[in-house]
Amino acid sequence: MIKPIDMNVLVIGAGGREHAISWKLMQSPKVDRVFVAPGNAGTAQICENVALAVDDFVGLKRFALESAVKLIVVGPEDPLVKGIHDAFADDASTAHIHIIGPRAEGAKLEGSKDYAKRFMMRHGIPTARYESFTAGEFDKASAFLETLQPPYVLKADGLAAGKGVLILDRIDSAREELKQMFAGKFGEASNTVVIEEFLSGIELSVFALTNGKEYCILPEAKDYKRIGEKDTGPNTGGMGAVSPVSFADAEFMKKVEERIVIPTVKGLAEDEIPFQGFLFFGLIRVDGEPMVIEYNVRMGDPETEVVIPRIKSDLFELFWDTATGNLASHNLIVDERAATTVVMVSEGYPGNYEKGLPITELDRVNGSYVFHAGTTHNTKNEVVTNGGRVLAVTSYGSNFRKALLNSYLNAETIEFKGKYFRRDIGFDL
C-alpha cells in the first residue's frame, strides 16, 4: 500500500491494551505520529499522550482535526457503546477520519447481552439457552430458573465494568441475587437480566477484524479472570493470558470460523448493521464443539498483550485495509512463538486499593515487554500506580511454559508496595 501523507494515528484508552496497540503501531514505517488519549506512563515513553477523556467526543474531534489524524483506534467499549464512531462519521468536518470500532448499533453486540443473544439465535450461532427478564417479571424469571440445572448464570444486560456476570450454585441464592440486580446492584445495566443455562467446558477468546463484509482472524488467546490461583476468588479485568491456545487446533478453529465467525459477519450484513473494527468472540469448548458465551466489539485486555506481539504484519496496514475495504487482500503473518503475559496488580484489587505507589526496577527488566495498564507520573516524574491492574509483563517462548518463566522472572524483579500476581497462568492447558 502507498503511505498516506502525514499519517497520524490516535489511539483511545489508557490501559495495557492501548499501550500494546500503540507499541505495535510505532513500529510501522507508514506511521508518522501516534497519539494516545489519555494514555498512561508507558505510552508516554513511546508516543504522545493527550489529556482527553475517552468519552470527550467534542475534545477528541477538535484534537483530531488540529493534529491531522487520519485513523482512530478505539480501545475500550464504553465510547463505542456511547457512539464515538457516529460522532465522527456524522460530522462533515470529521467524516474523513477512519475509525477502527463500530458505530453504536454494532456496539450493542457488547453493550446489550439481550441484543447479542437475540442476534445469535436469529443467525443460528451456537450459544447457551436463555431468556431475558425485567424487574416486573421476577416471578417469570424465578420460574425459568427452575427449568435449569445448577449452577445458574445471571448476566446484567448492559455494561457493568466486567462485574455483571454471576454464577451461583443454589437456586435460592440465584433468586436473591436476581432481586438485588433488579433493585440496581449494577445500576441501569441490570434493568434487564439475562438468565442462561450453564455451559461446562474450557474457555478461550478468538478475535477478528471485519468491515462488515470481509474478515481477518487474528491469533487466539486464553485469559484468566479470577484473582486467585486455580481460578478462585472474585473476577477481575484479567490476571494473565497465553497465545496460542493448545486445544484450539486447526480442526477446532475451522469449526469456529465456519459456525461462528462467518455466520456473525453474514448476520451483520443481513441485519444491515454497519460494522468496522474488532469482533471478540468469547467462546467455550463443550465436548469439543465451540459455543459463544459473549461478543465484545474491541480487543480484550490482557489478551491484546499476547495477540498483538504475535502479529508480525504491519498493524497499521491491517487497520488501514480494514477501514478502506481492502481486508480480503491482506496477508496476515503470525509469529509461531508463544506469547504470555502476567498481570501485576495492586494489593486489595479487585476491591479497594491504594494509588500513587512508586514503581521501581523497571529498568532491570530483561527479555520481556512491560505494557502499562494502570500507571501515571507523580510530581517527581516517578512512575506510580494509578489503577488496580498496574502492569502486564509479556514474553515470547518456543512454548507458553518457557515464555511464562521469563514473565515471572521479570514480574519478580519489578517492585511496588503490595504487588501481587498469579503464579499459575496456563495451569489448565
Side-chain angles (χ1 to χ4, degrees):
M1 61 171 286
I2 298 173
K3 173 190 167 185
I5 298 172
D6 295 328
M7 177 44 65
N8 298 333
V9 182
L10 172 62
V11 176
I12 294 176
R17 166 183 48 216
E18 291 75 33
H19 189 182
I21 289 171
S22 303
W23 165 80
K24 186 66 175 176
L25 285 170
M26 287 294 294
Q27 298 170 27
S28 172
K30 296 179 172 62
V31 172
D32 290 298
R33 301 169 76 182
V34 176
F35 305 101
V36 191
N40 57 42
T43 58
Q45 294 171 3
I46 60 171
C47 307
E48 301 173 61
N49 282 358
V50 183
L52 289 170
V54 299
D55 59 356
D56 180 3
F57 298 169
V58 173
L60 290 167
K61 286 198 289 184
R62 183 187 307 116
F63 174 81
L65 289 171
E66 291 172 351
S67 303
V69 168
K70 289 187 172 62
L71 177 71
I72 294 176
V73 183
V74 185
E77 64 275 19
D78 190 58
L80 292 168
V81 171
K82 289 180 177 177
I84 187 170
H85 190 139
D86 307 74
F88 275 80
D90 296 342
D91 184 333
S93 68
T94 54
H96 65 283
I97 300 173
H98 294 292
I99 312 284
I100 298 297
R103 283 179 174 262
E105 182 66 23
K108 285 182 183 178
L109 286 176
E110 178 166 2
S112 169
K113 292 179 176 62
D114 176 63
Y115 180 95
K117 293 293 280 191
R118 285 188 282 112
F119 177 92
M120 286 182 249
M121 292 294 179
R122 192 160 60 247
H123 298 291
I125 296 162
T127 189
R129 183 166 67 94
Y130 86 105
E131 284 193 28
S132 299
F133 304 93
T134 58
E137 299 176 307
F138 177 80
D139 289 343
K140 286 176 63 179
S142 183
F144 181 68
L145 284 170
E146 293 178 1
T147 71
L148 303 175
Q149 296 296 317
Y152 305 94
V153 182
L154 309 181
K155 295 182 176 182
D157 175 56
L159 297 180
K163 299 175 182 178
V165 178
L166 303 176
I167 300 175
L168 304 141
D169 291 326
R170 295 172 44 179
I171 195 167
D172 57 340
S173 300
R175 288 188 174 117
E176 182 56 37
E177 287 290 350
L178 187 61
K179 287 180 182 177
Q180 292 185 31
M181 291 174 79
F182 284 147
K185 179 173 183 173
F186 299 110
E188 292 183 2
S190 57
N191 286 349
T192 297
V193 176
V194 173
I195 301 178
E196 287 186 354
E197 67 172 332
F198 179 80
L199 297 176
S200 180
I202 188 166
E203 296 181 22
L204 77 155
S205 304
V206 170
F207 306 93
L209 271 165
T210 182
N211 54 23
K213 296 177 182 177
E214 306 156 329
Y215 64 88
C216 176
I217 298 177
L218 307 179
E220 77 284 356
K222 189 177 194 311
D223 78 324
Y224 294 82
K225 291 293 187 191
R226 301 274 186 168
I227 187 68
E229 294 175 3
K230 303 298 182 184
D231 282 345
T232 58
N235 270 336
T236 71
M239 295 297 295
V242 303
S243 178
V245 180
S246 57
F247 62 82
D249 57 18
E251 180 183 359
F252 180 82
M253 290 303 295
K254 184 179 180 183
K255 292 177 181 178
V256 171
E257 182 171 12
E258 292 178 347
R259 301 179 189 178
I260 295 170
V261 178
I262 292 173
T264 298
V265 175
K266 284 185 176 179
L268 292 170
E270 289 171 8
D271 291 355
E272 298 182 340
I273 300 171
F275 202 101
Q276 181 172 284
F278 290 105
L279 275 173
F280 170 149
F281 303 89
L283 306 181
I284 185 167
R285 188 185 69 165
V286 180
D287 297 327
E289 306 300 321
M291 299 184 72
V292 179
I293 298 173
E294 64 177 358
Y295 288 121
N296 290 163
V297 295
R298 38 75 193 183
M299 285 295 289
D301 193 344
E303 295 101 323
T304 304
E305 289 91 300
V306 293
V307 171
I308 293 297
R310 291 194 63 223
I311 296 175
K312 296 179 74 173
S313 310
D314 186 315
L315 186 63
F316 168 75
E317 285 190 7
L318 182 58
F319 286 155
W320 194 256
D321 287 346
T322 300
T324 57
N326 296 309
L327 193 54
S329 62
H330 190 89
N331 180 31
L332 183 71
I333 303 172
V334 176
D335 196 318
E336 293 183 359
R337 291 177 296 175
T340 63
T341 198
V342 173
V343 176
M344 304 178 67
V345 304
S346 293
E347 184 177 16
Y349 176 78
N352 296 324
Y353 52 84
E354 191 176 352
K355 293 183 180 181
L357 302 171
I359 304 169
T360 61
E361 312 303 331
L362 285 167
D363 58 343
R364 291 182 56 208
V365 170
N366 183 31
S368 296
Y369 298 102
V370 179
F371 295 116
H372 291 228
T375 65
T376 189
H377 288 101
N378 62 15
T379 55
K380 299 177 183 178
N381 205 35
E382 297 171 319
V383 177
V384 297
T385 64
N386 193 44
R389 290 190 297 164
V390 179
L391 302 168
V393 184
T394 296
S395 307
Y396 292 111
S398 57
N399 59 55
F400 81 89
R401 298 187 190 281
K402 291 181 179 178
L404 276 170
L405 288 175
N406 215 36
S407 289
Y408 283 129
L409 179 65
N410 284 301
E412 292 281 8
T413 299
I414 300 166
E415 292 294 343
F416 57 88
K417 178 185 172 185
K419 75 173 185 181
Y420 168 78
F421 55 91
R422 274 182 59 170
R423 299 171 189 271
D424 69 338
I425 300 303
F427 78 96
D428 53 350
L429 295 176

